[in-house]
Amino acid sequence: MDREQREDLARRVLAFSQADQTEVLLVDRDASLSRFTHDAIHQNVASADLSIAVRAIAEGRTGVARTNVLDEPSLRDVVARALAIARHAPADPEQPALPVGAPPPAPAEAFAEATARATPQLRAQICEDIFRAGEADGLWAAGYAATERGGITVANSNGARASFDGSDAAANVKMNGGDSSGFAEAYDTDVRRLDGTLLGAIAARKARESAHPRDVEPGPWTVILEPAAFGELFSYIADHFSALSFDEGSSFLSDGLGRTYLGENVTISDDYAQPLAPGMPFDFEGFPTKRLALVEHGVARAIVTDSYWAHKLGRENTGHALPAPNASGPQARNLVVSAGSKNAAQLVAETKRGLLVTRFWYIRTVDQKKAIVTGMTRDGTFLIEDGKVTGGVRNMRFNQSILEALRHCEFASELSRTGGYSYSIVVPAVKIENFTFSSGTGF
Amino acid sequence: MSFDSTASRALDTASARGAAYADIRFEVARTERIEARNGVVATLSDSTSRGYGIRALVDGTWGFAAASDTSDAGLDRTAARAVEIAKAGAAIARRRFGEAPPKAYADVFATPVHRDPEDVPLNDRVNLLLEAERLLHAGPQIGVGRAWIDLWRTDKYFYSTIGSKIEQSIRQTGCGLQALAVGNGDVQTRTFPGDIGLYASGGWEIVERAGLRENAQRIAEEAVALLSAPQAPSGVTDVVLGGSQVSLQIHESCGHPAELDRVMGWEANFSGVSFLELDQLDKLKYGSEIVTISIDNTMPGGMATVGYDDEGSRSVRSDIVRDGVLVGYEMSNDTARLIGRDSNACVRAESWEYVPMIRMCNLNLRPGEIPFEHLFDDVRDGIYMESNRSWSIDDHRLNFQFGCEIAWEIKNGKRGRLLKNPTYGGITPAFWNSCDAVADAASWVAWGTPNCGKGEPMQSGRTTQAASPARFRGVRVGVGYGG
């Protein structure tokens, strides 16, 4: 369904409502993914759906109903259900009016027709390019190539109208050897910029160079985290920038804005227009998303809000709402950590003894307030001696405060987009002193 | 509701396009979530999602396409898309993984429900949560109180080209409480029941059994007490784990590594592989002799309890670890064939939008012989931990580190003072071999997990690990806090 069709549908659904205020959110998505292992695709999938969520507010009471059945009786029913369940909720004195704003145009690069029209044959070609890159070294590949297009329309009875069409593509690979592995990933809104051969070659080199890994002792290490590793680590403080976390006291920022929490070289923003990850210029209430400096030179400057939390805390609405109903609060969806001045190779060259980490796995919060997390290294962990990478090491578990790490770090000059199933983020590689490993493994 | 004619149309289209086998799974999912937070209803939502997924097998390679468009044109387009996807994969395949199910079934299954949640007025459902949440505010240090109910109903209709026709109506219910206390420069959380709430297949009787109102004040008081409790110690000591934490331990260190697709490298780039390699089958001493862990997708109340899995295999009971020895895996038709076994029906999809894959079954630890209170008798110096707060395990499922919300020291066989921030870690087989006591069936609870992640695209799975509290000797504790 194109933008005009979605907006027309939203108008029709709004017209059915008898609530004091009504919001309609339409999400139209068609996503495909070709997943491979042992150099063959074993999960090859595509899914298409269009769903409608209706938020009805009556006398300060809110109900939300959703459906993906689009005939007129079902559309009338979803509107009626939203209002009916709203009448069972107690009134919330903090509930503001549904917001109205004028979102700016989306970044032009947010949508690529080539991605929207990608075929299973194109994804298979990316996979095959990856397979070939490992053949010479006798490595087998596991990973995926994915493409998707999505359209979002938000409209409310107060006059808000916002639509966005986006696309995205991604590929990753773990190359597997006898006693080592290597990882590479790429994300782009335009599938034509995904290079399977390059990804395969990077992952194969890492698998090759980390073969016959040696043991190193756990303890404090100087580490250089490549973007995939740093991005995953950093994602575990993303919710600290939410007004909800700030208000409930579980954020490291809860002691107040304007204070220095991190190193002087740390600047963090939320920016939907970052060229590596161009995204939606409004939130799921249809309100314009502000491009924010959250931390500048280590000093906390802002938190993200939505209409509810802006009203509750008496702050500006920054346009970071998630789809209603949302008990998790507003979220920064486009985090960017600013780059430093030296490239990653220089950071390695300046390291007397340290570890180069490709990727982390299964990071979990151990202590929310101190932002202590634990996790494992995987798929390419290397020893650095006298400024040179000298071979692979066996994987280790770390326990580390992210805040402490960001007080003793140096960023590389190149930014990369990295991600996982729950986040997308733009970060540089980073060098961190006294990063604490607590135990090892036999692989 | 019958999908007979639409199923025939889709399967005929897939066959005509070149599928050697195809199946289609229609689903109508209805979900309701209510969440009270700090005196207001933060979530009151009701969702309906209807659609279907088609699997097509071409030249030993699978294709899958899903859509919500049930028009004739939509069905034709989606069936053709599944076949086209399969052909694209087959064209570059160095191996053929696909295997059609060997047996067709025609059957009906429905979750037993003692009290239909729809018979409980919505006002009563909302008021129960508001009252329970109000009781969480036991003092000014409670910064956040939360109480929630999830009601899920999924009707599935499965058809295949070998003649299966399976209709299932699955009902699942969950509820819980959480108190977050803030003070002394610290934040502490208590959750009830267990660390996620109580989730099971069934109806409103699960909410009644949970006892939200009856336990709210105690949970909140524990959260506040933790703010001033001493830090749990670091070192090596004996540990008693509460039942929900044993459930989590089974889930992470047995449930996932025993998935045969992981063992075979099918999850290598994301969820990881497994130390339970094929040459360890019937040999590896996974745990002590009192450790028996079994699949049972027929058990009442299990979150994975169904009549048939999502590729049409009938639910069974089978052992993964018997008397401490690895004897089996969780399997699909594809993977079982590769080791010369039959599927034990462990294949499910999150919803109609997702491809079925091996998901954790109900996987239960056999209860022991002694009452829970006697687990402490033989402990001179140790820690009792309850309710998971943090969980991390490596991509081979060996090196783990878990943290709990609350702990008590054990001195000379008695439970002593409260401790905060307890953590423990180890290596999976060494840990399970250190298990020397499992509490009896009186404290055996089917702990449901509603949000187990796996696969790409990521799928959220529902599973149960039933367990009693258990005792482990010589465990490393305090990791993450100096240990």
Side-chain angles (χ1 to χ4, degrees):
Chain A
M1 200 175 269
D2 64 26
R3 173 180 301 221
E4 281 188 14
Q5 290 170 314
R6 292 197 309 269
E7 292 179 352
D8 182 54
L9 180 56
R11 272 191 294 272
R12 279 175 54 211
V13 173
L14 277 178
F16 296 150
S17 180
Q18 296 180 353
D20 299 343
Q21 299 178 79
T22 306
E23 174 190 270
V24 176
L25 167 64
L26 275 71
V27 179
D28 180 16
R29 185 166 180 261
D30 192 322
S32 300
L33 186 143
S34 302
R35 194 171 190 213
F36 54 87
T37 187
H38 293 285
D39 300 344
I41 295 174
H42 64 304
Q43 288 166 358
N44 208 353
V45 304
S47 176
D49 191 22
L50 191 157
S51 64
I52 295 180
V54 176
R55 173 161 54 153
I57 302 176
E59 298 170 352
R61 305 158 190 264
T62 302
V64 177
R66 289 191 205 89
T67 189
N68 67 346
V69 186
L70 305 181
D71 57 63
E72 181 153 331
S74 299
L75 295 174
R76 288 186 181 277
D77 177 65
V78 74
V79 172
R81 273 193 290 139
L83 181 56
I85 61 178
R87 290 189 169 129
H88 290 279
D92 181 352
E94 310 281 1
Q95 178 65 52
L98 292 172
V100 178
E109 290 278 298
F111 180 81
E113 191 69 30
T115 306
R117 295 185 178 280
T119 63
Q121 289 78 17
L122 176 64
R123 289 185 293 278
Q125 184 60 57
I126 294 169
C127 298
E128 191 170 33
D129 290 345
I130 291 172
F131 303 165
R132 287 200 176 121
E135 281 175 351
D137 295 308
L139 304 168
W140 62 271
Y144 73 81
T147 53
E148 70 171 89
R149 62 147 194 88
I152 290 175
T153 291
V154 189
N156 70 36
S157 55
N158 295 343
R161 299 286 184 276
S163 284
F164 171 76
D165 287 282
S167 65
D168 211 3
N172 83 12
V173 55
K174 173 180 178 174
M175 282 290 183
N176 300 271
D179 60 3
S180 67
S181 57
F183 176 77
E185 62 176 357
Y187 303 85
D188 205 299
T189 54
D190 191 334
V191 69
R192 292 172 297 186
R193 287 194 285 261
L194 291 188
D195 185 341
T197 302
L198 176 64
L199 285 178
I202 294 168
R205 176 179 57 75
K206 284 176 174 285
R208 203 168 52 237
E209 293 179 357
S210 61
H212 314 304
R214 61 192 120 163
D215 281 322
V216 292
E217 285 299 307
W221 278 83
T222 298
V223 294
I224 293 170
L225 308 182
E226 293 194 344
F230 179 51
E232 180 156 11
L233 183 79
F234 186 80
S235 73
Y236 279 79
I237 58 168
D239 69 332
H240 287 243
F241 299 107
S242 163
L244 183 148
S245 305
F246 179 80
D247 179 60
E248 72 182 17
S250 61
S251 166
F252 76 88
L253 304 168
S254 293
D255 291 338
L257 301 180
R259 295 179 177 222
T260 300
Y261 293 97
L262 306 173
E264 194 273 338
N265 61 332
V266 178
T267 291
I268 301 164
S269 55
D270 185 81
D271 185 2
Y272 68 82
Q274 215 291 336
L276 292 173
M280 193 164 80
F282 56 88
D283 67 6
F284 288 94
E285 294 182 314
F287 196 74
T289 298
K290 194 167 184 186
R291 301 167 68 183
L292 285 176
L294 299 169
V295 173
E296 284 181 315
H297 304 294
V299 179
R301 295 296 184 203
I303 54 171
V304 299
T305 62
D306 55 17
S307 65
Y308 184 90
W309 283 93
H311 178 73
K312 185 178 173 73
L313 302 183
R315 301 183 68 88
E316 175 190 23
N317 182 356
T318 65
H320 287 82
L322 296 182
N326 171 30
S328 304
Q331 294 295 321
R333 293 178 288 114
N334 301 281
L335 284 167
V336 180
V337 178
S338 295
S341 58
K342 300 171 186 169
N343 64 37
Q346 283 177 281
L347 296 181
V348 171
E350 293 173 1
T351 301
K352 177 75 178 162
R353 183 174 164 80
L355 297 174
L356 175 64
V357 178
T358 298
R359 189 186 189 194
F360 285 138
W361 166 244
Y362 222 127
I363 298 177
R364 288 292 183 273
T365 299
V366 175
D367 189 304
Q368 171 72 19
K369 186 77 175 177
K370 296 170 186 160
I372 298 173
V373 294
T374 185
M376 299 292 305
T377 64
R378 71 182 289 191
D379 302 333
T381 308
F382 300 90
L383 183 64
I384 302 168
E385 295 173 298
D386 296 324
K388 291 191 171 60
V389 173
T390 56
V393 301
R394 291 197 171 86
N395 289 296
M396 290 198 290
R397 171 172 297 286
F398 66 89
N399 277 270
Q400 175 65 46
S401 163
I402 301 171
L403 307 180
E404 283 298 320
L406 292 175
R407 290 172 189 140
H408 308 284
C409 66
E410 183 175 7
F411 297 112
S413 54
E414 313 93 342
L415 289 176
S416 297
R417 179 179 163 195
T418 182
Y421 64 84
S422 61
Y423 66 96
S424 172
I425 197 165
V426 174
V427 295
V430 62
K431 181 175 179 175
I432 299 169
E433 303 293 343
N434 293 312
F435 193 91
T436 306
F437 290 97
S438 52
S439 61
T441 67
F443 58 90
Chain B
M1 190 179 291
S2 172
F3 288 93
D4 289 5
S5 60
T6 44
S8 292
R9 184 181 184 100
L11 295 179
D12 288 348
T13 301
S15 297
R17 295 271 181 160
Y21 165 89
D23 57 42
I24 183 166
R25 177 173 40 89
F26 295 93
E27 290 191 13
V28 181
R30 186 87 186 263
T31 64
E32 177 185 289
R33 182 172 176 89
I34 313 171
E35 179 174 338
R37 186 184 190 279
N38 284 1
V40 301
V41 176
T43 297
L44 182 47
S45 69
D46 179 341
S47 299
T48 300
S49 182
R50 186 181 78 181
Y52 55 93
I54 299 172
R55 292 197 309 169
L57 187 63
V58 177
D59 195 14
T61 304
W62 287 111
F64 174 83
S68 52
D69 182 352
T70 52
S71 67
D72 286 351
L75 285 160
D76 292 348
R77 190 167 50 244
T78 306
R81 192 179 196 189
V83 174
E84 185 197 9
I85 287 171
K87 287 179 177 175
I92 66 157
R94 271 93 156 149
R95 297 183 184 204
R96 313 282 159 180
F97 293 115
E99 180 76 9
K103 196 169 178 185
Y105 294 94
D107 205 351
V108 173
F109 170 86
T111 304
V113 173
H114 297 289
R115 188 177 181 195
D116 191 331
E118 290 178 13
D119 293 340
V120 179
L122 181 55
N123 264 343
D124 292 355
R125 306 203 288 267
V126 170
N127 287 336
L128 165 66
L129 290 185
L130 286 170
E131 187 180 341
E133 197 281 327
R134 182 179 57 77
L135 293 168
L136 288 173
H137 292 271
Q141 289 155 304
I142 298 297
V144 181
R146 293 174 58 226
W148 64 90
I149 293 173
D150 285 305
L151 304 173
W152 297 323
R153 173 178 181 153
T154 307
D155 296 322
K156 299 186 180 193
Y157 307 84
F158 177 89
Y159 300 81
S160 74
T161 52
I162 60 168
S164 278
K165 179 184 173 185
I166 301 166
E167 192 174 320
Q168 304 193 84
S169 180
I170 298 157
R171 306 287 289 269
Q172 295 159 320
T173 297
C175 62
L177 298 170
Q178 189 175 64
L180 183 134
V182 182
N184 296 346
D186 197 5
V187 174
Q188 292 290 334
T189 301
R190 284 291 286 128
T191 313
F192 175 85
D195 56 288
I196 304 173
L198 186 64
Y199 282 81
S201 64
W204 189 254
E205 63 275 11
I206 292 152
V207 178
E208 292 172 336
R209 193 166 76 230
L212 299 183
R213 281 179 293 221
E214 294 79 359
N215 289 278
Q217 187 172 335
R218 173 178 64 82
I219 289 300
E221 288 170 353
E222 287 177 355
V224 171
L226 284 167
L227 292 173
S228 51
Q231 170 67 42
S234 299
V236 174
T237 192
D238 296 339
V239 165
V240 176
L241 299 179
S244 71
Q245 182 59 26
V246 174
S247 168
L248 184 277
Q249 187 79 43
I250 297 165
H251 182 105
E252 300 293 350
S253 65
C254 182
H256 281 309
E259 294 159 347
L260 191 50
D261 56 348
R262 292 182 63 113
V263 174
M264 293 180 165
W266 295 16
E267 283 288 321
N269 70 310
F270 177 52
S271 300
V273 292
S274 174
F275 75 99
L276 299 178
E277 294 176 358
L278 293 177
D279 61 1
Q280 301 292 309
L281 188 61
D282 296 322
K283 294 176 191 155
L284 177 72
K285 191 165 180 301
Y286 175 90
S288 63
E289 288 181 0
I290 62 170
V291 175
T292 289
I293 300 173
S294 306
I295 289 172
D296 188 357
N297 278 3
T298 69
M299 66 182 282
M303 289 289 278
T305 298
V306 289
Y308 297 83
D309 74 358
D310 285 341
E311 58 176 3
S313 299
R314 187 188 297 223
S315 291
V316 296
R317 188 185 183 287
S318 64
D319 290 343
I320 299 295
V321 175
R322 187 184 306 135
D323 302 329
V325 177
L326 174 70
V327 295
Y329 295 106
E330 297 155 284
M331 297 180 287
S332 58
N333 281 295
D334 291 344
T335 55
R337 172 190 57 120
L338 295 173
I339 63 168
R341 293 193 176 193
D342 294 328
S343 170
N344 49 10
C346 290
V347 175
R348 300 192 307 283
E350 176 181 330
S351 70
W352 60 265
E353 293 175 83
Y354 292 92
V355 69
M357 60 189 296
I358 293 179
R359 297 313 311 261
M360 199 179 300
C361 294
N362 297 323
L363 197 63
N364 308 323
L365 176 65
R366 187 176 66 193
E369 305 290 333
I370 63 172
F372 165 58
E373 312 81 61
H374 291 293
L375 287 180
F376 303 106
D377 289 353
D378 196 24
V379 178
R380 201 177 63 170
D381 195 1
I383 304 176
Y384 170 57
M385 304 186 193
E386 266 188 8
S387 198
N388 186 264
R389 188 172 89 176
S390 174
W391 65 104
S392 174
I393 189 165
D394 71 44
D395 60 316
H396 293 229
R397 299 275 154 179
L398 280 166
N399 181 317
F400 68 85
Q401 179 182 316
F402 299 143
C404 290
E405 290 180 348
I406 192 166
W408 291 264
E409 69 179 3
I410 307 170
K411 290 285 183 192
N412 300 315
K414 304 286 183 204
R415 201 200 298 202
R417 62 180 180 156
L418 192 71
L419 302 169
K420 72 176 178 181
N421 304 330
T423 62
Y424 68 100
I427 301 296
T428 297
F431 183 77
W432 279 108
N433 274 284
S434 77
C435 179
D436 75 341
V438 177
D440 62 18
S443 53
W444 197 75
V445 174
W447 294 101
T449 299
N451 57 352
C452 171
K454 185 183 175 187
E456 287 175 322
M458 166 68 86
Q459 296 190 43
S460 178
R462 299 171 186 169
T463 177
T464 286
Q465 279 67 65
S468 309
R471 187 173 65 209
F472 301 84
R473 301 290 190 181
V475 178
R476 187 178 173 208
V477 299
V479 277
Y481 289 90

